[in-house]
Amino acid sequence: MKKTVLLVLTLCMTLASAIAQEENRPSPSERYPTLPPFTLLAPDSSKLTREDLPRHKKTLLFYFSPDCDHCREQTNAMLKNMDRLKNIEILMVTYQPFEEMVAFYREHALQNYSNIKVGRDTQFFFVPYYRVRNLPYQALYDAKRNLIKTFEGNVSLDKVVRAFEGKGRRGK
């Protein structure tokens, strides 16, 4: 019995130590600050990859959940101010079921915006890559596909636009 308790305690401490070390390490997105290669499932069931995004254009990667109220608020704010985002490619990514993504896509009429692409993260790539803890999550990339800034949770559109303009550069 004592050996079992000792073994369990040792395993718990090892796991806690590993988690603490991982928290202190930079995320993959910080180590490789360029727009990563990805494959998403688009609303029409086609594949959407990084190569499908226009080159030499700023990109806003927006990680969301269709049932998240904060994500809906942030989406509505972006759509109401699309004139300020018209020169930015917006990639909306979710891990939620395909049907929920499509319903969100249709509800917000995202097909009417030529600069918005939506896809399902079927490989659950983005959450560990960016270490997403809160939704919505936004990663901003310049026209050379270099990471400018990230935001977790709702953020004013002014902050997003300023970050793209180079004010409030780099980091979280």
Side-chain angles (χ1 to χ4, degrees):
M1 180 73 167
K2 285 184 179 183
K3 287 182 181 180
T4 304
V5 170
L6 185 59
L7 180 62
V8 169
L9 283 173
T10 303
L11 287 172
C12 288
M13 293 194 52
T14 302
L15 182 60
S17 174
I19 290 170
Q21 288 178 3
E22 184 63 26
E23 288 283 322
N24 293 331
R25 283 191 197 139
S27 69
S29 66
E30 293 167 324
R31 286 184 295 193
Y32 310 104
T34 58
L35 186 64
F38 58 82
T39 301
L40 302 172
L41 183 61
D44 64 359
S45 295
S46 66
K47 289 190 177 185
L48 175 62
T49 69
R50 178 178 65 180
E51 286 66 39
D52 295 316
L53 300 178
R55 296 196 75 40
H56 311 294
K57 190 173 181 182
K58 297 172 185 177
T59 302
L60 168 60
L61 188 144
F62 182 81
Y63 205 83
F64 75 103
S65 175
D67 61 356
C68 163
D69 289 337
H70 295 289
C71 299
R72 288 176 168 281
E73 288 173 21
Q74 193 76 39
T75 300
N76 289 332
M78 288 190 309
L79 297 178
K80 286 178 187 170
N81 293 283
M82 193 51 70
D83 57 316
R84 298 177 71 193
L85 300 172
K86 65 184 173 203
N87 295 321
I88 297 170
E89 188 69 14
I90 300 171
L91 177 63
M92 298 183 71
V93 180
T94 186
Y95 58 89
Q96 294 294 4
F98 182 77
E99 300 78 25
E100 291 181 28
M101 177 193 72
V102 171
F104 185 91
Y105 177 79
R106 289 181 180 148
E107 176 187 340
H108 289 78
L110 298 176
Q111 68 277 6
N112 295 334
Y113 300 91
S114 61
N115 64 323
I116 296 180
K117 292 185 176 38
V118 180
R120 181 166 187 265
D121 183 10
T122 58
Q123 299 170 346
F124 202 68
F125 167 76
F126 289 94
V127 168
Y129 185 80
Y130 290 100
R131 289 201 188 135
V132 175
R133 292 184 201 120
N134 295 303
L135 295 177
Y137 182 91
Q138 298 176 69
L140 286 58
Y141 290 89
D142 65 19
K144 294 181 180 179
R145 296 187 169 174
N146 294 310
L147 184 65
I148 299 170
K149 190 167 185 73
T150 61
F151 295 106
E152 289 194 55
N154 283 37
V155 63
S156 75
L157 198 61
D158 288 338
K159 276 188 176 181
V160 172
V161 171
R162 278 196 308 270
F164 273 121
E165 291 171 349
K167 301 168 183 124
R169 197 113 171 119
R170 200 78 174 110
K172 289 186 179 186

